[in-house]
Amino acid sequence: ATADSGIPAAGAEVAFQFLHSELVSFLLREQLQGGGGGPATVQQCRAQLSKLETMGFRVGQAYVEKMTKDLPRFRDDLEIVKFLCKDFWASLFKKQVDNLKTNHQGVYVVIDEKFSLLVPMARGKQYLDRCHLYTAFPCGLIRGALTNLGLRAIVTAEVEELPRVKFQIQLVQHSA
Amino acid sequence: ATADSGIPAAGAEVAFQFLHSELVSFLLREQLQGGGGGPATVQQCRAQLSKLETMGFRVGQAYVEKMTKDLPRFRDDLEIVKFLCKDFWASLFKKQVDNLKTNHQGVYVVIDEKFSLLVPMARGKQYLDRCHLYTAFPCGLIRGALTNLGLRAIVTAEVEELPRVKFQIQLVQHSA
């Protein structure tokens, strides 16, 4: 059999993908069990999204802390976002982002055509309508990474077709 | 700052460690919330252990499937266990196991002096008494890997001092 899935040869990043995928499935099962099998309520969705986002946030914080502890400080916001899109992305997802745009007013749009955390899920269409459970963790991951580098941000994601994702990063200006 | 933690430079295996650590913390918090803050009951512990073990099992299965899809079949049980202790371990944990013993009757004892999934937890002593929550996922991971390679097994773990772990793998003979 040849490698036709586009996933790189097995390495820890693949285990990271699988673990994320299992985590989403797990919270999905929990939700279905709690909700009696019917469609999830908005409150249930929010609760599960929040759990995933928080886990992503903490992993992102810890990971970027470890990645950058011996690096010099970044000069500005753009340098931080570029670090995120190149080094952080490459280290976790084995590729850089495919596109980065900014309005130069604190909004960055990041596009990954084949976002590795969603590759295992791209096979199961049942995820597509499930409250965006599959992007909550990555959004948290990015927000945690940026927070650790001194940038507060609101991070949202849009998925039209798995595994393509568009992340929007809106920097929150410091009041000080 | 020099790297003094013994963890390899950040890579996806570190993210895998952090995600596992977050998962354990998350289930721990859930347990504490559900249990009113008192010590967890045996039933509560079992439920959380089982969730973690199941997630580990699925990740182990999927990961080893991916690792071995282009490899020739293994000749015997020992070859499979050796693959687990060398290639599987190195790929996920960036080191091989430190010791492998067998009684040649289907029992294998695997020792890792610095088990990477427990490194983030070795800092927080509060985990030590918590129902072995921190070894349930790795036991499932090993069991899932072996199952995918055709070996049914019972996998248990002992931790006397984090991050040293002794895994015991007891192969279950096929009845056929």
Side-chain angles (χ1 to χ4, degrees):
Chain A
T2 55
D4 58 351
S5 62
I7 308 181
E13 73 285 355
V14 176
F16 184 66
Q17 286 170 19
F18 286 143
L19 180 49
H20 171 254
S21 172
E22 274 310 313
L23 187 60
V24 173
S25 305
F26 167 71
L27 289 174
L28 209 54
R29 283 195 300 276
E30 250 196 352
Q31 191 180 72
L32 290 173
Q33 281 163 9
T41 64
V42 174
Q43 284 81 359
Q44 286 172 330
C45 279
R46 282 207 188 127
Q48 302 298 64
L49 286 174
S50 161
K51 290 174 189 173
L52 278 167
E53 211 271 346
T54 301
M55 278 190 265
F57 181 81
R58 291 179 189 223
V59 172
Q61 269 206 315
Y63 187 66
V64 111
E65 172 72 27
K66 187 135 200 76
M67 268 191 88
T68 59
K69 70 181 162 52
D70 298 324
L71 295 182
R73 279 180 66 93
F74 295 101
R75 276 179 312 227
D76 53 23
D77 297 357
L78 183 61
E79 209 180 74
I80 292 176
V81 176
K82 280 186 177 170
F83 169 82
L84 179 87
C85 292
K86 288 184 177 178
D87 303 78
F88 179 82
W89 225 265
S91 149
L92 263 187
F93 310 130
K94 298 289 156 185
K95 71 190 283 295
Q96 300 183 2
V97 308
D98 294 298
N99 203 328
L100 166 63
K101 286 181 193 159
T102 177
N103 69 353
H104 298 287
Q105 298 183 4
V107 176
Y108 297 86
V109 175
V110 172
I111 292 174
D112 189 331
E113 299 289 344
K114 205 165 192 171
F115 186 54
S116 83
L117 285 184
L118 301 191
V119 168
M121 292 173 206
R123 293 178 216 126
K125 296 287 182 196
Q126 75 272 24
Y127 288 106
L128 259 173
D129 300 322
R130 289 283 174 193
C131 320
H132 302 288
L133 274 183
Y134 42 83
T135 54
F137 181 89
C139 285
L141 201 62
I142 294 170
R143 194 170 67 83
L146 292 173
T147 299
N148 189 272
L149 298 173
L151 294 185
R152 283 172 59 218
I154 296 162
V155 182
T156 53
E158 270 177 53
V159 178
E160 278 155 23
E161 191 171 2
L162 287 170
R164 179 181 198 269
V165 194
K166 182 165 99 176
F167 292 102
Q168 177 163 317
I169 299 169
Q170 182 163 2
L171 298 188
V172 178
Q173 296 304 318
H174 291 277
S175 52
Chain B
T2 54
D4 59 349
S5 63
I7 308 180
E13 73 285 355
V14 177
F16 184 65
Q17 286 170 17
F18 286 143
L19 180 49
H20 171 253
S21 172
E22 273 311 313
L23 187 58
V24 173
S25 305
F26 167 71
L27 289 174
L28 210 55
R29 282 196 300 275
E30 251 196 352
Q31 194 180 70
L32 291 173
Q33 282 164 7
T41 65
V42 175
Q43 285 80 359
Q44 285 172 330
C45 278
R46 282 207 188 125
Q48 302 298 64
L49 285 174
S50 162
K51 288 174 190 174
L52 278 167
E53 212 272 346
T54 302
M55 278 190 264
F57 182 82
R58 293 179 188 222
V59 172
Q61 270 206 313
Y63 187 67
V64 111
E65 172 72 28
K66 186 134 201 77
M67 268 191 89
T68 59
K69 69 180 164 51
D70 297 325
L71 295 181
R73 278 179 67 91
F74 295 101
R75 278 179 312 228
D76 54 23
D77 296 357
L78 184 60
E79 210 179 73
I80 291 175
V81 176
K82 281 185 177 170
F83 169 81
L84 179 85
C85 293
K86 288 183 178 181
D87 305 79
F88 179 82
W89 225 265
S91 148
L92 263 186
F93 310 130
K94 298 288 156 185
K95 73 189 283 292
Q96 300 183 3
V97 308
D98 294 298
N99 203 329
L100 167 64
K101 286 181 191 158
T102 177
N103 68 353
H104 297 288
Q105 296 182 6
V107 176
Y108 297 85
V109 174
V110 172
I111 292 174
D112 190 331
E113 299 289 344
K114 204 164 192 172
F115 186 55
S116 83
L117 285 184
L118 302 192
V119 167
M121 291 174 208
R123 292 179 217 126
K125 296 288 182 194
Q126 75 273 24
Y127 288 106
L128 259 173
D129 300 322
R130 289 282 173 194
C131 320
H132 301 289
L133 273 183
Y134 43 83
T135 54
F137 181 89
C139 284
L141 201 62
I142 294 170
R143 195 171 66 84
L146 292 173
T147 300
N148 190 272
L149 298 172
L151 294 184
R152 282 173 56 218
I154 297 162
V155 182
T156 53
E158 271 177 52
V159 178
E160 279 154 22
E161 191 172 2
L162 288 171
R164 180 182 197 267
V165 195
K166 183 166 99 177
F167 292 102
Q168 178 163 315
I169 299 168
Q170 182 161 2
L171 298 187
V172 179
Q173 297 304 316
H174 291 277
S175 52

